[in-house]
Amino acid sequence: MSRFFPRSLLLWAIIIQSLSSIKILSSSSSSSLCQHHHIHQQNNRKFEQKTTIFWEFEEESNTWVQVKSPYDLLSCVNNNCTKVGIIEPVNDDDDDQTRIELGQEQDSIKIQGQRKKKVKTDERKIGGLGSRNRISVTKMTDDSIWVTGLSGSIYERFWNGIQWVIAPHELPLQAGYAVSVFLIKHIVLALSEAGILYQMQLSENSQPIWVEFPPILDSSTDIRIKSGAISHDMEKIYFCTKNGLLLELSEINTPRWMNHGKPPGADVAAIVDAPEIRPQVVFTISSSGDLYEFDPSSKPMWKKHIWSQESTHDTTLTPMTSCTAHRRSGPHSDSLFLLTKGGNLVERRLHQRKWKWVVHGSPKDQQFTSMTPVTVDETYTSSFSLFLATASGSIIEYNISKQEGKRTWVNHMHPPHAKVAKGVSGLQLQMGRHIFPLDDGRLGELHQSKTGGDGVGPTPSVNRRRMSTKYTWSIIDAPESEGWNAEYCTEDRGPLNCISGVKDETNDDQTTTRSFRRRSGNNKGQENYYYLVSTASKTKDNAFVDRISSVNVDFRLRVMYEGRSFILVTESGISYEFVNVENVWFWLKHEHAVGMKGAVGSYNGSLFLVNENDDLIVGEREGNEFTWINGSAMKKGRRVVGGPPWDVAPSKAQKVTPDDSMFFVGKSGGLLQLTVALKKLKWKDCRNPSNTKIASIIDQEVFRENIVFVVGTDGHLYQYNKVSGLWHGHHQSRHMVLSKQPGTAMRGSPQSLSGSLFMISEDGRLIEYYWNPMDGWGWVEHGSPYPGVTLVGSTGPCLAGNQLFLIGSDGNVYLRYWDQTLWKWSDCGFPSTGNVAGKNRKGEGCIDQEIRVKTREEYHEETENCDPKVAPTRPIPFTENSVIFEQNDGRLAEMRRTEELQWVWWRTIGSPTTRCNAVYWNAAAS
């Protein structure tokens, strides 16, 4: 059995600005600072502090930040942290010599810090977005665009003759995340985040597979690639490595690699122009922001382009792809457009064999973060445009007309409810059509009127004189890997075929059945999303915990191993496990120091519980016992009051990835993410939607991969995208207020995104929120099974993709199921002597009318301490054909689906704390 445990050691470091800053007094002068995990065992050690300047590495920003005194020094072993010292303020008169020696270095660090602070302040002032990694868009042909998403996935947007379809091209799991793709000589290459190249090949059964394609050089050093650029003639690829070298790949079938080294005293951080301005000349930018050119036919081969000494404006360049233009200043001129780190546009112009810098700047209060290379008319008498993305998420067009000196900035803004990703270049699909990655993982097309959009395929070339100058935005949906709703293409004949689309010839009835169309009046189009700022509420609400769903009700039961064991947390805080060993069932008690409230999740054999102090406790099995780890006491740990309603669905294989996480509701009303993959625990605060706190989690990644649906304390539905880290709210009418209980996702097929979220309204009615390709998002109110009966607790499990269990206020279990064309209710009653497994059924559903009447009569004959009606505790799916419920008297009852597809009460299970000692019936425990 695989085990799960967090890091054995929590590493932290402090940079000390003087060799004599800290002295550790010890009996052994040879003790190493690397042995800090033993310090807490020796009480005679003492820190002698001689400076006030200390630095701590901050993981969120990936930078060093200065710590403020007093500052506790901690040693952590197996998540148990002990204070071993303290950094205290030092008097100004102490150690003057140390401060003098540190002065110059400290001034340098201070200046750099002020620069970074200024940039961050400017970005906040103009609504700056966070940088996006891994995103790229590459045009293979007019009808094929390859995208690497923020999730590290690869997908292709392809025009099959009828419509645009999405095809997945994921790297193998062991390859990690993809960051870019290249097409050269009909061969596709992909670059992983780890710096490894992969080539797409066809397997023996003609299926595309990725094969590692490493650089072959004379050096035995392991070469890792950072980025690349294809030459203008499409015959070569130039790469820059992670250690700053320039590589050239000139052949693919018989790979021919050349190492061109790096500039003297510098490195290659980005390739801005693969031989286009001049043959064989490659322009690069160093990590320090300087422009270099590499010419193998000249001596020296590397030359640096410098600014004039009197230049006082922003001259440090951003290492990224540039835009090249020819004959902009005359018949024999070339231009290289670049961006500075300050966000300004500059030009390196070659005219009559002379180079010069031209500063174009930027509009007021705007900073450029990327530019999109465009194909332009090679005549210097025509107008020329650049499309640049700003730090605030807009696209600005820079137009240089044929009249010298006439230049205009045109702000095309961004699509509704979305912004353009920061620092990512777009592409020109065709003249007048441009594709830009959006900050939320989708794509945006900026196109001229009536010439583009998601429903328009590649169009023939249009005379520029007849083209409209008015641009509009269209949003292109992304696949589920990015958390969105684009369906993947299929091999079946039809409009979604991956190769050649065929018009859909299915009749209306077939279409209705396939797409789960709802009854008339409920197909009204819904607003997709509205953008919300991900900011945590600064106000504290002491009554928050009292308003949300109870952990004791929603998380008392949890499956450990499908069909073999489940956990019951009693009202007294004791955890019991019901286990099957060699077809014998028994209760196993798990001891812990503090009482438990509920079990909020399980992963890979580990159990996640919440104790009475709202701490997240992780239990790991050792034989029949559990060892307990306090997850809330870890670094960045939080107290929790809720978790995901369901784990991996029964009988579905779990896809283990490095991003495997569990989500919890924090005590302060925020969403908390705990990475549980790769034997480590790492917390992240995902905050909450603006103006509301989170009451409970509706669904975690069952309905949509990478998406967590939640209900706010305002009774509205929201979603969190764990790939982009963004919150979105879903439109719902004002009269519809959701309860604070978890929900249930229903998805009929993993191959289709069609499905629903089921929730309970505040007044006890069943509410459905569905999505399908034909109607998009929509709401359906299912009401209640009978007049006078409301639904209590949360929605139960969904099985078979079309059956949902619910608990009524009358103590009965109700089944809501899809019967070919409509939804139906079925009354399953409650477990008692009358509805014994194996009874003949007279109609559809769980129990016929005669048996329901008999059950109610026998209920009144129960003993005083027995109450067989079903409690509002959220039931759990034990297998794909079995559900476990809790009864009012503390017993448990199992319902199973027979071979005739009928649900029957199968057995009752006496729990260790039940008030009812009578056992009326107990079916075989097999």
Side-chain angles (χ1 to χ4, degrees):
M1 179 182 67
S2 58
R3 288 181 45 76
F4 171 87
F5 53 89
R7 296 181 192 171
S8 61
L9 184 63
L10 199 61
L11 296 179
W12 58 273
I14 294 179
I15 290 184
I16 304 172
Q17 298 296 313
S18 171
L19 294 175
S20 60
S21 297
I22 291 182
K23 296 181 180 178
I24 300 178
L25 303 182
S26 172
S27 58
S28 174
S29 60
S30 62
S31 297
S32 170
L33 286 177
C34 295
Q35 298 172 342
H36 66 276
H37 56 281
H38 295 303
I39 292 178
H40 71 282
Q41 300 175 358
Q42 303 182 30
N43 297 325
N44 61 334
R45 293 197 174 192
K46 181 181 178 182
F47 288 90
E48 182 180 344
Q49 181 181 333
K50 291 193 174 183
T51 185
T52 60
I53 304 169
F54 297 91
W55 300 81
E56 180 184 32
F57 187 75
E58 186 177 80
E59 293 184 0
E60 288 184 352
S61 60
N62 201 31
T63 59
W64 291 92
V65 295
Q66 187 173 352
V67 300
K68 296 180 180 179
S69 56
Y71 183 84
D72 292 337
L73 300 175
L74 303 178
S75 174
C76 297
V77 179
N78 294 329
N79 299 318
N80 295 320
C81 298
T82 305
K83 180 180 176 181
V84 296
I86 187 172
I87 298 175
E88 297 178 337
V90 178
N91 295 332
D92 293 338
D93 296 334
D94 295 343
D95 207 351
D96 290 339
Q97 184 60 36
T98 300
R99 287 195 297 274
I100 293 173
E101 293 174 354
L102 295 175
Q104 185 175 359
E105 182 179 357
Q106 176 63 17
D107 289 343
S108 176
I109 295 175
K110 185 176 181 181
I111 292 172
Q112 294 177 8
Q114 289 175 346
R115 289 176 178 174
K116 292 181 179 179
K117 185 177 180 180
K118 183 178 184 303
V119 172
K120 291 182 179 180
T121 302
D122 291 341
E123 288 186 0
R124 284 197 300 268
K125 181 178 65 176
I126 62 175
L129 301 173
S131 297
R132 293 301 190 189
N133 299 322
R134 305 177 188 149
I135 300 179
S136 72
V137 286
T138 304
K139 177 182 175 181
M140 300 296 190
T141 61
D142 282 346
D143 54 12
S144 175
I145 298 172
W146 287 52
V147 182
T148 59
L150 189 59
S151 67
S153 65
I154 304 175
Y155 65 91
E156 178 186 7
R157 186 170 180 258
F158 176 72
W159 179 259
N160 64 4
I162 297 295
Q163 66 184 52
W164 291 101
V165 295
I166 302 293
H169 299 296
E170 305 281 354
L171 286 178
L173 186 61
Q174 64 273 16
Y177 309 110
V179 295
S180 59
V181 292
F182 310 94
L183 175 66
I184 179 171
K185 298 180 179 179
H186 305 290
I187 294 177
V188 179
L189 300 177
L191 177 62
S192 73
E193 195 172 42
I196 301 175
L197 271 178
Y198 292 86
Q199 178 184 352
M200 178 172 281
Q201 297 180 356
L202 291 180
S203 63
E204 295 179 355
N205 56 356
S206 299
Q207 293 298 318
I209 58 174
W210 292 103
V211 178
E212 194 169 333
F213 189 79
I216 303 175
L217 301 170
D218 295 335
S219 172
S220 59
T221 306
D222 184 23
I223 301 295
R224 295 300 175 100
I225 294 173
K226 181 180 179 181
S227 60
I230 300 177
S231 63
H232 183 62
D233 58 8
M234 305 294 290
E235 295 293 326
K236 303 175 183 178
I237 304 182
Y238 291 88
F239 297 101
C240 67
T241 65
K242 292 195 173 184
N243 60 349
L245 300 176
L246 176 65
L247 303 184
E248 178 184 339
L249 175 63
S250 56
E251 295 290 340
I252 298 293
N253 294 325
T254 305
R256 182 186 176 190
W257 292 89
M258 297 180 64
N259 183 1
H260 297 306
K262 63 176 76 173
D267 62 357
V268 178
I271 300 168
V272 297
D273 177 65
E276 182 175 359
I277 289 184
R278 288 187 294 171
Q280 303 299 321
V281 177
V282 180
F283 288 85
T284 68
I285 294 178
S286 67
S287 56
S288 59
D290 295 315
L291 178 65
Y292 290 86
E293 68 172 70
F294 171 77
D295 186 355
S297 62
S298 68
K299 291 186 179 181
M301 291 186 291
W302 288 97
K303 297 183 181 67
K304 180 179 179 180
H305 289 243
I306 61 175
W307 293 77
S308 59
Q309 294 183 355
E310 62 271 14
S311 177
T312 58
H313 49 75
D314 182 21
T315 60
T316 304
L317 302 176
T318 300
M320 65 181 308
T321 303
S322 69
C323 181
T324 304
H326 302 284
R327 297 192 284 276
R328 300 311 312 161
S329 303
H332 302 290
S333 66
D334 296 286
S335 296
L336 195 62
F337 289 90
L338 308 160
L339 294 180
T340 67
K341 290 188 176 180
N344 292 305
L345 177 66
V346 297
E347 177 186 355
R348 188 59 169 162
R349 181 182 298 171
L350 176 64
H351 183 54
Q352 295 180 349
R353 298 185 179 181
K354 291 183 179 181
W355 287 102
K356 78 170 186 175
W357 290 99
V358 179
V359 178
H360 297 274
S362 60
K364 184 180 180 181
D365 294 333
Q366 296 288 358
Q367 291 180 333
F368 295 132
T369 64
S370 68
M371 69 173 70
T372 298
V374 293
T375 302
V376 297
D377 194 335
E378 297 292 337
T379 304
Y380 67 90
T381 57
S382 64
S383 60
F384 166 67
S385 291
L386 283 176
F387 290 85
L388 303 110
T390 69
S392 57
S394 296
I395 291 295
I396 292 181
E397 180 184 0
Y398 183 48
N399 184 273
I400 307 174
S401 67
K402 60 184 178 181
Q403 290 87 7
E404 184 65 27
K406 186 176 180 181
R407 304 171 182 180
T408 58
W409 302 102
V410 181
N411 193 341
H412 294 291
M413 302 300 290
H414 48 77
H417 317 303
K419 293 187 178 182
V420 177
K422 176 182 176 181
V424 183
S425 298
L427 61 83
Q428 183 183 30
L429 178 61
Q430 289 182 310
M431 195 69 70
R433 301 182 68 179
H434 308 276
I435 304 294
F436 299 96
L438 301 182
D439 186 59
D440 60 14
R442 295 176 291 179
L443 299 176
E445 181 177 343
L446 180 63
H447 55 89
Q448 294 173 337
S449 299
K450 301 180 181 180
T451 63
D454 193 34
V456 179
T459 56
S461 299
V462 181
N463 189 338
R464 285 184 62 89
R465 295 180 180 178
R466 297 182 180 179
M467 294 181 66
S468 171
T469 57
K470 183 180 179 181
Y471 280 87
T472 186
W473 282 100
S474 295
I475 290 184
I476 301 168
D477 211 351
E480 189 183 11
S481 60
E482 312 306 310
W484 295 97
N485 301 317
E487 297 261 12
Y488 284 124
C489 63
T490 67
E491 296 181 0
D492 300 333
R493 176 185 172 88
L496 279 176
N497 187 270
C498 294
I499 305 299
S500 179
V502 179
K503 290 185 178 180
D504 196 355
E505 299 175 354
T506 57
N507 56 46
D508 293 339
D509 293 338
Q510 291 174 324
T511 303
T512 301
T513 302
R514 184 185 62 183
S515 64
F516 283 79
R517 291 190 70 93
R518 270 49 182 189
R519 56 183 180 268
S520 60
N522 290 305
N523 294 324
K524 183 180 179 181
Q526 301 292 327
E527 177 182 334
N528 283 341
Y529 298 93
Y530 56 92
Y531 190 82
L532 288 175
V533 180
S534 176
T535 55
S537 176
K538 296 182 179 180
T539 60
K540 294 184 178 179
D541 189 352
N542 295 327
F544 167 72
V545 178
D546 297 333
R547 294 202 309 266
I548 68 169
S549 60
S550 173
V551 176
N552 304 73
V553 175
D554 291 323
F555 300 99
R556 290 188 63 177
L557 296 170
R558 203 88 194 187
V559 176
M560 277 292 292
Y561 299 99
E562 180 186 348
R564 294 188 290 122
S565 93
F566 63 84
I567 294 291
L568 168 66
V569 180
T570 66
E571 293 181 357
S572 59
I574 302 175
S575 300
Y576 292 94
E577 183 179 4
F578 196 53
V579 187
N580 185 340
V581 177
E582 296 182 354
N583 207 31
V584 177
W585 291 92
F586 60 91
W587 286 101
L588 187 64
K589 183 178 180 181
H590 296 300
E591 301 283 355
H592 33 73
V594 182
M596 297 293 177
K597 287 185 176 180
V600 290
S602 64
Y603 175 85
N604 199 22
S606 294
L607 184 66
F608 296 80
L609 303 103
V610 176
N611 67 12
E612 294 175 352
N613 299 326
D614 295 324
D615 295 323
L616 181 69
I617 305 299
V618 184
E620 294 181 357
R621 186 184 295 279
E622 290 186 357
N624 291 331
E625 301 296 331
F626 274 90
T627 59
W628 306 102
I629 300 171
N630 190 334
S632 296
M634 298 178 58
K635 184 178 180 181
K636 299 182 182 179
R638 299 288 192 276
R639 292 183 175 180
V640 302
V641 292
W646 312 108
D647 302 313
V648 178
S651 302
K652 289 186 178 180
Q654 184 174 5
K655 179 183 177 183
V656 180
T657 70
D659 293 326
D660 282 351
S661 301
M662 296 190 67
F663 287 84
F664 305 96
V665 180
K667 192 173 182 179
S668 60
L671 184 67
L672 303 175
Q673 180 179 354
L674 180 64
T675 302
V676 294
L678 301 179
K679 300 181 180 180
K680 65 180 180 181
L681 294 175
K682 184 178 179 181
W683 287 94
K684 177 184 176 182
D685 187 357
C686 305
R687 304 183 180 180
N688 51 275
S690 59
N691 303 322
T692 186
K693 294 182 179 181
I694 297 171
S696 64
I697 297 175
I698 296 296
D699 173 65
Q700 177 189 321
E701 300 187 84
V702 176
F703 189 43
R704 284 292 179 275
E705 184 180 349
N706 297 319
I707 293 295
V708 180
F709 291 91
V710 305
V711 61
T713 54
D714 59 358
H716 284 252
L717 181 67
Y718 301 91
Q719 73 169 50
Y720 174 77
N721 187 320
K722 81 173 189 180
V723 176
S724 64
L726 297 177
W727 284 96
H728 290 82
H730 289 260
H731 172 78
Q732 65 191 69
S733 61
R734 294 182 178 180
H735 78 277
M736 183 184 296
V737 180
L738 303 175
S739 70
K740 310 307 185 292
Q741 277 74 33
T744 302
M746 177 181 289
R747 187 165 165 180
S749 169
Q751 287 72 38
S752 174
L753 299 180
S754 296
S756 302
L757 292 174
F758 286 92
M759 298 151 282
I760 304 296
S761 67
E762 200 172 48
D763 56 358
R765 295 174 291 113
L766 179 62
I767 303 296
E768 177 190 4
Y769 189 51
Y770 69 87
W771 187 92
N772 64 56
M774 296 185 64
D775 302 323
W777 289 105
W779 292 94
V780 174
E781 297 186 29
H782 290 262
S784 59
Y786 295 114
V789 175
T790 58
L791 302 174
V792 295
S794 62
T795 54
C798 167
L799 297 177
N802 61 358
Q803 300 177 1
L804 180 70
F805 288 90
L806 302 147
I807 299 173
S809 57
D810 57 355
N812 286 3
V813 171
Y814 292 92
L815 182 67
R816 186 66 165 166
Y817 63 99
W818 179 261
D819 183 17
Q820 296 183 352
T821 59
L822 20 120
W823 288 100
K824 293 183 178 180
W825 287 102
S826 184
D827 186 353
C828 299
F830 54 85
S832 190
T833 310
N835 47 358
V836 179
K839 286 280 186 179
N840 294 327
R841 304 289 177 241
K842 296 183 179 180
E844 296 180 353
C846 298
I847 301 173
D848 58 44
Q849 181 66 25
E850 180 181 347
I851 294 180
R852 281 200 300 270
V853 173
K854 185 178 181 181
T855 300
R856 293 191 180 97
E857 292 175 352
E858 292 173 347
Y859 163 64
H860 295 291
E861 299 175 2
E862 296 277 9
T863 61
E864 181 179 353
N865 294 327
C866 294
D867 185 353
K869 288 192 174 183
V870 179
T873 303
R874 183 175 56 86
I876 56 173
F878 198 31
T879 68
E880 61 181 342
N881 295 306
S882 169
V883 183
I884 304 293
F885 298 85
E886 185 176 20
Q887 297 175 261
N888 284 335
D889 54 27
R891 291 177 295 171
L892 304 178
E894 181 180 2
M895 181 176 284
R896 291 192 184 183
R897 183 167 48 188
T898 65
E899 294 181 356
E900 292 79 20
L901 302 182
Q902 291 288 336
W903 286 98
V904 299
W905 290 107
W906 190 257
R907 58 169 171 162
T908 57
I909 304 169
S911 70
T913 59
T914 181
R915 301 185 304 272
C916 176
N917 296 322
V919 178
Y920 291 98
W921 56 271
N922 196 332
S926 59

